[in-house]
Amino acid sequence: MPSDNSAPTAPATTSYRALLRNSEFAGLYASFTLTVAASTLSGFALGTMVNQQTRSPFMTAVSMYGATFATVFGALTLMSIADGRRPRRTLVALQCVSLVGVAAQAIPGLPLAARFALLLVLGFFQSLGTGTRMGLLAEVVPTSTYALARSLMNITSGGMAILGYAIGAMLLRYLSPQEVFVIATVLTGLGLVVVATTVREHSIRLTRRPGLRQTWTTNIALFSSGQRALLLNLWVPNGLIVGCEALFISYDPDQAGALLAAGSAGMLLGDLTVGRLLTADQRRRYAFVLRLLLAVPYLLFAIHPPMMVVMAAVFAASAGFAATLPLQEQLLALTPDPVRGQVQGVESAGRMTWQGIGAAIAGGVAQHLTPSTTIAAIATVSVAVTVVSRPFVVRTRTVSIERASA
């Protein structure tokens, strides 16, 4: 497994403030923050635009999360570049591609088909960028603080989503979706400048040339090991609940922004509590409960409770997204050093792809059932997957603990 010696230039840290004293981590963090803000604004603007034009729950859900479908192609083809010799250069190039794609969404009168094509292109390169970014993260911080660093980035993702959805809803009262896309383009450009000026090159110790063959070799080894149970739990329950969130606009267009913000706030609180306040042993102990918490509150949608109850349920459920932290720690413990970027990229790409699958499933079912009934049904499936797969996750946890103590 990786050791703290993999990041000799970064001192051991025990707080978010200490982490941010590491200039390279601060650069990755700031760039990530700006990228999430831009993605949230553009996704909400596109979802609103598609809902206004089509009035289709399926099309609206796919427009908000459609980019995640393409991430799987990045994971299956070129993800090994995340472990290349020049990860900083790779990340800067991928940020440039994202900048062009977001800017293209601001073109007035662009057909919906072209907008969906842009989503797929951005999703493909986004998956490669995530793998590269996470590989760099494992290089610039010690392994002992990796969960803390991921926690801070997850908290920021939730926080920026709160601001993005709230500000996006406010902006769309006064601006057109195209003008909101322009704002998202500016934020993406700022993220590019930050990462280009703060992060230096690192050698991620690849032993073979990146490419399709190397990607497949690593992926085959990954999916034929006990890590499959971890990946299943990182992908499927989360993706199904994101499918529930994708129906918020169809469920209540006027309160969709508030519901999405409540979910982001719950995610922020969960990641803050689990990543900052719990020990590694406590995180492993509560992982199963958190995965149940992720879905169970959504069962309330079946009885059509008042909006305040719905918002409270969404807030509580989203704290369960913090279950990804102990699972990611286990995955890192089972991953050899030279392929950390690719494995983390595959994990992230699969999680994002399942978000798109969840949105498509929920949107498709909602074409025939009411949004509230669909949300409750999808949440029930998420609970079932979590319960059935628990024994396999426990078995994998035992293996990771044995390797950590070896």
Side-chain angles (χ1 to χ4, degrees):
M1 64 171 286
S3 66
D4 287 359
N5 294 332
S6 63
T9 60
T13 54
T14 57
S15 68
Y16 294 136
R17 182 178 300 178
L19 266 176
L20 291 171
R21 294 194 188 103
N22 180 336
S23 61
E24 286 190 281
F25 172 76
L28 284 173
Y29 169 74
S31 173
F32 173 77
T33 301
L34 292 165
T35 300
V36 171
S39 177
T40 303
L41 280 178
S42 60
F44 193 72
L46 182 59
T48 300
M49 177 189 296
V50 171
N51 187 59
Q52 291 172 349
Q53 293 185 17
T54 67
R55 299 297 176 184
S56 167
F58 176 77
M59 294 295 289
T60 301
V62 171
S63 68
M64 292 185 68
Y65 298 99
T68 60
F69 284 114
T71 60
V72 69
F73 296 110
L76 294 176
T77 57
L78 297 178
M79 187 59 74
S80 59
I81 70 170
D83 295 307
R85 294 181 179 178
R86 297 183 179 273
R88 174 192 171 277
R89 178 183 295 181
T90 301
L91 185 57
V92 168
L94 293 170
Q95 287 280 104
C96 288
V97 174
S98 295
L99 177 61
V100 173
V102 176
Q105 290 283 19
I107 299 174
L110 194 68
L112 287 182
R115 295 190 185 279
F116 279 102
L118 279 172
L119 280 180
L120 295 177
V121 172
L122 286 173
F124 176 82
F125 288 103
Q126 181 182 4
S127 67
L128 303 181
T130 299
T132 305
R133 191 188 306 273
M134 293 302 105
L136 279 167
L137 177 63
E139 291 288 313
V140 302
V141 302
T143 304
S144 59
T145 59
Y146 177 80
L148 190 67
R150 287 298 295 261
S151 169
L152 180 57
M153 297 182 90
N154 290 345
I155 289 169
T156 300
S157 178
M160 293 312 300
I162 294 172
L163 292 176
Y165 290 132
I167 294 174
M170 180 184 67
L171 289 175
L172 287 170
R173 294 179 183 271
Y174 305 99
L175 303 177
S176 68
Q178 285 78 14
E179 291 171 320
V180 176
F181 284 131
V182 171
I183 297 174
T185 301
V186 173
L187 294 175
T188 303
L190 290 175
L192 168 62
V193 171
V194 169
V195 77
T197 56
T198 59
V199 179
R200 62 182 176 86
E201 286 292 6
H202 287 261
S203 173
I204 309 186
R205 301 178 298 280
L206 183 69
T207 57
R208 285 176 287 180
R209 185 177 180 179
L212 180 61
R213 182 176 181 180
Q214 173 66 17
T215 299
W216 271 96
T217 298
T218 302
N219 285 349
I220 290 172
L222 176 63
F223 289 111
S224 62
S225 67
Q227 291 154 288
R228 286 176 298 181
L230 291 177
L231 293 174
L232 173 68
N233 274 265
L234 281 161
W235 294 349
V236 181
N238 288 22
L240 292 173
I241 297 306
V242 169
C244 296
E245 294 177 344
L247 294 179
F248 285 166
I249 292 179
S250 301
Y251 177 77
D252 190 331
D254 295 331
Q255 297 297 326
L259 287 173
L260 289 167
S264 298
M267 183 187 302
L268 186 153
L269 178 63
D271 281 313
L272 176 62
T273 302
V274 174
R276 184 69 182 90
L277 302 181
L278 299 185
T279 65
D281 181 64
Q282 289 172 327
R283 285 193 291 270
R284 288 191 296 266
R285 191 184 312 158
Y286 297 131
F288 176 68
V289 175
L290 287 169
R291 292 199 297 277
L292 289 180
L293 176 63
L294 179 63
V296 169
Y298 279 97
L299 301 178
L300 289 173
F301 277 79
I303 60 175
H304 306 281
M307 181 53 63
M308 291 303 296
V309 175
V310 170
M311 291 181 64
V314 170
F315 174 85
S318 296
F321 280 113
T324 60
L325 288 174
L327 295 177
Q328 287 167 343
E329 283 184 295
Q330 292 179 51
L331 185 64
L332 184 66
L334 295 171
T335 302
D337 284 6
V339 294
R340 285 182 297 183
Q342 180 176 340
V343 170
Q344 291 176 88
V346 168
E347 180 272 316
S348 178
R351 187 154 34 89
M352 294 178 67
T353 298
W354 262 97
Q355 290 175 6
I357 293 173
I361 292 173
V365 174
Q367 295 285 98
H368 307 285
L369 304 176
T370 64
S372 59
T373 301
T374 301
I375 289 172
I378 295 296
T380 300
V381 176
S382 180
V383 171
V385 171
T386 295
V387 171
V388 171
S389 63
R390 186 188 186 190
F392 303 98
V393 175
V394 172
R395 188 180 308 163
T396 305
R397 181 191 310 164
T398 302
V399 173
S400 65
I401 293 174
E402 289 175 351
R403 290 194 182 185
S405 59

